[in-house]
Amino acid sequence: MSGGRRVERQPSRGPRRAPGRRSSAAGDAARRRPRTGGRRSGLPALLPALAALLVLLAALVGTSDDPGEAPRAVPVQETRYACAGGPGLVTGQVEAGRSASARLSPGGDEVADVVDPARWVRSDLARALGRGDRSLVVTQRGEGSGGVGFVTGVLGAARGDGLVVGRCPGVVDDAWYAGLGSAQRHLGVLVLTNLSQTPAVLDVTLWSPEGPVDAVGGEGLVVEAGSTRTVRLSDLAAGEDVLGVHVARRRGAVAVAALDTSTGSAQGSELVSPMASPSRRVVLAGLVGRGTRTLSVLNPGETTARARVEVLGPDGTFAPEGLDEVRVRPGSVTRVSLPGSVGDGPAALRVVSDEPVVASASVASDGDLSVLEDVGDWTGGALVPVGGAVGEPDLLLTAPGDAGRDRAEVSVPAGSTVRVDLGRVLDLDGVSSVLVRSDGGVVGTAQYTAGGRQASLALQAAPVDVLTPRVRPAP
């Protein structure tokens, strides 16, 4: 069966239909370009910029049969995140909130005109931050409003001259990366922002192809209250072209952003999203085109990892020649070239390992770099910035599961990947963002191209609600 996806003009989903059926109204909607502007059901008129909605009804995944064990969704009342690493900023929300503010870190000075609780705002992040190692800390309040921010724009030549589009991160416990570097021509930079008024402590652990690396100063790294600290991986361990990285929070509330830059033969820049933890199944969505394509796999464990790579393409899943077994020694990272048998995409890579690993893939072409990450599938709405310097991206959507439902207009068969040209299926004139809804079981990226440059943004749910465990009464 296929994993079904549907394009609609209104936020709410219509009545469910039997698998494999589609209504004539749904077919007409697929042939029409939605209108922009106007009041919409479930979306206040105060949000005129949020004028397009892509609803994905995703492949079903297993759930508990005991409703007493299911966690309860509670609306998020406040979101706080840190923005740095690029010249532009886009902020907004799924629904209008109560209030919003932005302050510099360090210093705490308030910055005006970069966030609004009732509309989407584009602003000049570089101008707001000024000189020095700074972040912009944004706080948005409102019940289930789903506030988010994105860093966008083209970096200077010293940082790879590439297009970046990255989500402003909130607090994380663990951030795992595979494929960053600490060499002169390939450098990873961590931007650590303390979102609280108490000091935060982190540990940064590194692995090279030869094994664990002594990260000088990486253990017990302190980020003072309300401040930002930039850590170049070359300051911890210089000269490594490929590294595995783990940032672990001991205490405090810290946001972690990672910038990957290359100024060598494969030039470019990318803001990289982390994996939350190593896994035996890693899905890297967003593979498209040719160029220099590599896969990096980190094995932080004590046993050799044996992994195979599968391609989830437009026609289904297949095993590319030459990637049937990738061995990664204990406590090391390895990088392999992706052969031509992988194809031109659009596709996703699925890494299946007998030991938990961290993986990413990079594509260097046309003078820029894009990185494929695994942030998992999402449930609910994922916001995608459009317009301005980033233009109109394509969505690359993958249903890695084994079964799903055919829900009509945008169909993603199980075990495959499809490309969605947003500019063709939606009218994006004057639009700042697109909301992508999913019931789960789908991973995706937004692929941006502008001025010969490229960037990849992994789709993640906007923070509308959080799951909390149900508490059973004592017998």
Side-chain angles (χ1 to χ4, degrees):
M1 300 176 68
S2 61
R5 323 292 176 256
R6 182 168 56 196
V7 178
E8 296 184 354
R9 290 181 292 169
Q10 68 279 0
S12 58
R13 291 195 297 270
R16 293 180 178 245
R17 297 181 177 274
R21 297 180 57 188
R22 79 171 63 180
S23 68
S24 59
D28 291 341
R31 293 188 288 271
R32 292 195 300 265
R33 292 166 67 90
R35 300 187 305 268
T36 58
R39 187 175 181 87
R40 298 166 192 268
S41 171
L43 193 63
L46 294 175
L47 293 178
L50 186 57
L53 175 67
L54 177 64
V55 177
L56 305 182
L57 300 183
L60 295 180
V61 296
T63 57
S64 171
D65 293 329
D66 183 358
E69 296 180 358
R72 181 168 57 99
V74 176
V76 172
Q77 301 295 325
E78 177 183 289
T79 59
R80 182 172 296 170
Y81 50 84
C83 303
L89 177 64
V90 181
T91 60
Q93 50 276 311
V94 176
E95 301 281 353
R98 297 190 307 271
S99 64
S101 62
R103 296 183 180 276
L104 288 176
S105 169
D109 295 339
E110 188 166 355
V111 179
D113 302 324
V114 297
V115 63
D116 188 292
R119 65 185 181 92
W120 284 80
V121 179
R122 289 194 185 99
S123 60
D124 187 334
L125 178 60
R127 181 177 179 181
L129 295 180
R131 295 183 177 274
D133 294 337
R134 289 180 169 181
S135 294
L136 189 68
V137 177
V138 179
T139 303
Q140 293 170 270
R141 299 178 179 88
E143 183 171 332
S145 62
V148 293
F150 299 93
V151 174
T152 65
V154 177
L155 302 184
R159 295 197 291 171
D161 193 33
L163 175 68
V164 296
V165 182
R167 180 164 164 172
C168 300
V171 176
V172 296
D173 292 323
D174 293 274
W176 292 85
Y177 305 92
L180 299 181
S182 64
Q184 183 177 3
R185 297 292 186 180
H186 181 210
L187 179 62
V189 177
L190 303 176
V191 181
L192 312 174
T193 304
N194 189 338
L195 301 180
S196 71
Q197 296 307 309
T198 59
V201 180
L202 307 96
D203 294 325
V204 179
T205 307
L206 305 178
W207 295 266
S208 76
E210 303 304 319
V213 175
D214 184 13
V216 179
E219 186 174 355
L221 195 151
V222 177
V223 183
E224 297 296 339
S227 69
T228 295
R229 182 167 179 176
T230 299
V231 178
R232 292 163 178 80
L233 295 183
S234 57
D235 293 338
L236 302 180
E240 299 290 348
D241 194 49
V242 57
L243 284 170
V245 180
H246 177 211
V247 182
R249 178 175 66 94
R250 283 197 206 173
R251 63 174 181 267
V254 180
V256 181
L259 175 65
D260 189 16
T261 64
S262 177
T263 55
S265 57
Q267 182 171 309
S269 322
E270 190 82 324
L271 286 167
V272 183
S273 300
M275 282 183 61
S277 63
S279 175
R280 288 183 171 85
R281 293 170 66 91
V282 178
V283 180
L284 307 173
L287 182 67
V288 64
R290 289 195 175 269
T292 303
R293 306 181 298 179
T294 59
L295 171 69
S296 298
V297 183
L298 164 66
N299 174 16
E302 299 178 352
T303 304
T304 296
R306 294 171 174 83
R308 71 177 188 273
V309 180
E310 302 169 341
V311 176
L312 286 67
D315 300 322
T317 303
F318 66 93
E321 185 178 354
L323 294 176
D324 52 334
E325 183 175 272
V326 177
R327 293 193 179 192
V328 190
R329 294 187 297 108
S332 72
V333 61
T334 190
R335 182 170 59 188
V336 298
S337 297
L338 295 177
S341 59
V342 169
D344 297 340
L349 301 177
R350 179 163 56 198
V351 180
V352 182
S353 173
D354 61 353
E355 297 291 333
V357 297
V358 178
S360 73
S362 66
V363 179
S365 62
D366 298 326
D368 201 0
L369 173 73
S370 65
V371 178
L372 283 57
E373 315 119 329
D374 183 344
V375 297
D377 64 339
W378 82 96
T379 300
L383 288 162
V384 177
V386 299
V390 299
E392 299 176 357
D394 288 345
L395 295 183
L396 300 184
L397 305 170
T398 301
D402 297 326
R405 295 190 179 189
D406 183 2
R407 299 293 294 176
E409 284 68 42
V410 180
S411 180
V412 185
S416 70
T417 297
V418 301
R419 183 203 302 261
V420 179
D421 185 340
L422 288 182
R424 295 188 63 181
V425 301
L426 300 174
D427 185 352
L428 298 179
D429 291 341
V431 175
S432 294
S433 70
V434 171
L435 182 64
V436 185
R437 290 196 182 275
S438 170
D439 282 345
V442 169
V443 296
T445 63
Q447 290 286 333
Y448 298 84
T449 57
R453 299 176 176 89
Q454 60 185 353
S456 176
L457 174 70
L459 301 188
Q460 297 174 270
V464 173
D465 51 41
V466 62
L467 295 179
T468 61
R470 293 182 182 269
V471 179
R472 292 183 174 184

